[in-house]
Amino acid sequence: MAISFQKIILHKLQMRMMDPFQTSFGTMQDKEFYIIEAVDTDGNRGFGETVAFSVPWYTEETVQSNKEIIENYLIPILRESEINHPDEVFPLFSMIRGNNMAKAAIEGAIWDLYAKREGIPLAKALGGEKTEIDVGISIGIQPTVKLLLEKISYFVEEGYKRVKLKIKPGYDVDVLREVRKHFPQTPIMVDANSAYTLKDTELLRQLDDFNLLMIEQPLQHHDIIDHAKLQARIETPICLDESIHSFYDAEKAVELGSCKIMNIKIGRVGGLTEAKRIHDYCQEHGIAVWCGGMLEAGVGRAHNVAISTLSNFILPGDTAGSSRYWKKDIIHPEVVVKDGIIKVPTEPGIGYSIDEESLEEYRIEKIAYEF
Ligand SMILES: O=C(O)CCC(=O)C1=CC=C[C@@H](O)[C@@H]1C(=O)O
Ligand SMILES: [Mg+2]
């Protein structure tokens, strides 16, 4: 039956992370984003979350561009369309180029709404079968190696299944040598967020000595050609993050041999439908995938949990527990990690309810678009 929308509400939230998060491109601590609430005429409510940052560091999208695209283009498209299933949303939005994070947030709200109308968990609506998912931790660049070692110890003791470290030129080989001395067996990977070029091949080859699970996005943020050249010259598996914006990108990267592993971020690829399609393609081609993170609050985190239940999400993702980021999250219960595992909720939709009090506490703007 077609989903009949009553309204879509944009809640703009401002939240402060417990610790600053530093990567090769910058440091983040204050997060602004939108929670998208899609309400149908029966009063069912579905939720999505925008994941772009305030500054276009990671991709060209921003919190502000997400709002403008949703308000001026995506909501008008929905007003004129009939939607029976959330898989229909991505093709409808394809008349708008790019702006994947804006598209994904609204599509995510529709997926949640759909699953709630059907009375099934979002994970099941997506075809996921796992009842629990493995998770790792992503640790930002630290002011000293001593602090980094302390952080790693803390998260390893918490039970996280693998540790991801951020690297950049000048904070790579020596730091990893020290880390490996203290943690010889811990599953470790690194993420460079495009900080290197092919000229650094010799340096990147030295990383082969550290038995890393993978190196994430070492080269330019749109590249798949140089990554293929690099992969042929190093043993450490390359994982692509920033370079994959679509099924098309994923297909070309696999054809060229640009990576052996793929990080799927729902926002980066334009939503759950496209994420699932990339997942399926990678599965057919022997490319393992895992779910990346964008320092999400509870709603985005819940979507990440749901997609991670698909069978080719073989490697632990970056979906850490709520308490790693926030003093108080916006969902109830919060996402809890125990022994590196999240139990997948069994309630309909995303399976976590909105903590209305927190939502209000963090909200700095609310706009309703009637249908
Ligand atoms: O904990 C998370 O949500 C993952 C954090 C993380 O590693 C990243 C978040 C956002 C942008 C990047 O710096 C990065 C990544 O590249 O995966
Ligand atoms: Mg990354």
Side-chain angles (χ1 to χ4, degrees):
M1 202 174 58
I3 300 174
S4 140
F5 293 105
Q6 181 196 130
K7 59 185 167 187
I8 290 183
I9 307 171
L10 264 58
H11 306 265
K12 188 176 191 183
L13 308 193
Q14 196 173 52
M15 290 173 77
R16 170 155 263 239
M17 292 196 297
M18 310 252 272
D19 292 314
F21 188 80
Q22 190 183 342
T23 69
S24 63
F25 55 70
T27 305
M28 287 167 282
Q29 183 156 27
D30 290 304
K31 228 199 151 194
E32 283 189 358
F33 57 96
Y34 285 91
I35 291 295
I36 317 295
E37 178 179 351
V39 186
D40 71 7
T41 45
D42 296 326
N44 296 302
R45 303 155 76 209
F47 294 90
E49 178 175 327
T50 62
V51 299
F53 299 127
S54 299
V55 183
W57 272 334
Y58 170 81
T59 60
E60 65 278 24
E61 290 185 83
T62 63
V63 185
Q64 198 51 35
S65 77
N66 284 172
K67 184 200 167 199
E68 280 170 19
I69 294 292
I70 290 172
E71 179 176 79
N72 296 324
Y73 301 102
L74 306 182
I75 290 179
I77 290 173
L78 291 179
R79 282 204 178 107
E80 285 172 15
S81 314
E82 186 183 289
I83 292 162
N84 291 284
H85 188 278
D87 275 340
E88 295 159 22
V89 177
F90 184 77
L92 276 175
F93 286 170
S94 67
M95 66 171 81
I96 303 299
R97 293 268 166 94
N99 292 287
N100 283 345
M101 294 174 177
K103 293 174 181 174
I106 200 157
E107 191 233 41
I110 297 172
W111 266 104
D112 181 30
L113 179 63
Y114 168 81
K116 283 173 176 157
R117 285 162 59 97
E118 296 291 311
I120 56 171
L122 176 59
K124 187 160 178 234
L126 292 166
E129 285 177 355
K130 289 187 221 165
T131 56
E132 48 183 49
I133 59 162
D134 287 349
V135 289
I137 190 82
S138 174
I139 302 178
I141 290 170
Q142 301 297 314
T144 63
V145 174
K146 183 168 173 278
L147 257 174
L148 177 65
L149 296 173
E150 282 169 19
K151 289 246 157 157
I152 299 173
S153 289
Y154 175 80
F155 289 116
V156 167
E157 275 163 34
E158 287 257 296
Y160 281 94
K161 302 263 182 188
R162 65 101 175 105
V163 174
K164 162 165 143 182
L165 304 177
K166 294 285 182 177
I167 56 167
K168 64 176 183 177
Y171 185 95
D172 42 40
V173 177
D174 292 346
V175 173
L176 285 168
R177 191 170 297 118
E178 208 49 36
V179 168
R180 267 296 177 229
K181 228 193 272 167
H182 292 80
F183 301 93
Q185 303 298 339
T186 305
I188 292 176
M189 59 170 287
V190 293
D191 184 1
N193 289 111
S194 303
Y196 299 90
T197 71
L198 265 191
K199 292 197 185 110
D200 299 308
T201 301
E202 274 319 303
L203 182 138
L204 294 169
R205 211 205 298 265
Q206 288 180 52
L207 301 186
D208 285 345
D209 295 343
F210 301 120
N211 187 28
L212 301 172
L213 291 172
M214 69 193 94
I215 174 168
E216 186 177 343
Q217 197 72 34
L219 309 179
Q220 210 263 359
H221 63 277
H222 276 293
D223 170 77
I224 53 172
I225 295 177
D226 282 358
H227 279 102
K229 291 181 189 160
L230 180 65
Q231 184 65 89
R233 295 175 198 164
I234 64 173
E235 273 167 29
T236 308
I238 291 178
C239 168
L240 288 178
D241 173 358
E242 283 91 330
S243 295
I244 307 298
H245 303 97
S246 61
F247 177 84
Y248 178 91
D249 289 343
E251 189 182 46
K252 298 304 151 209
V254 172
E255 280 173 19
L256 284 176
S258 319
C259 64
K260 293 182 178 162
I261 297 171
M262 220 175 273
N263 166 342
I264 297 183
K265 287 183 181 168
I266 303 164
R268 172 169 35 72
V269 302
L272 288 162
T273 297
E274 187 78 343
K276 188 169 147 53
R277 219 174 138 220
I278 294 171
H279 161 276
D280 294 351
Y281 177 82
C282 286
Q283 189 156 34
E284 282 160 26
H285 292 81
I287 302 287
V289 307
W290 55 278
C291 182
M294 289 292 287
L295 311 167
E296 292 93 343
V299 170
R301 205 157 288 285
H303 284 267
N304 290 345
V305 171
I307 191 89
S308 300
T309 61
L310 299 181
S311 56
N312 193 37
F313 280 86
I314 297 168
L315 298 158
D318 273 347
T319 308
S322 299
S323 64
R324 185 256 189 284
Y325 310 85
W326 318 109
K327 212 178 217 165
K328 193 163 165 241
D329 205 339
I330 55 167
I331 50 166
H332 183 79
E334 299 202 339
V335 174
V336 176
V337 173
K338 196 163 176 277
D339 301 326
I341 285 171
I342 295 174
K343 291 216 180 308
V344 180
T346 51
E347 297 292 310
I350 56 173
Y352 300 87
S353 53
I354 298 297
D355 181 333
E356 304 289 346
E357 216 173 84
S358 296
L359 189 75
E360 205 165 307
E361 183 185 328
Y362 296 123
R363 187 166 54 208
I364 53 171
E365 181 187 321
K366 178 179 174 182
I367 314 169
Y369 303 86
E370 303 290 335
F371 273 62

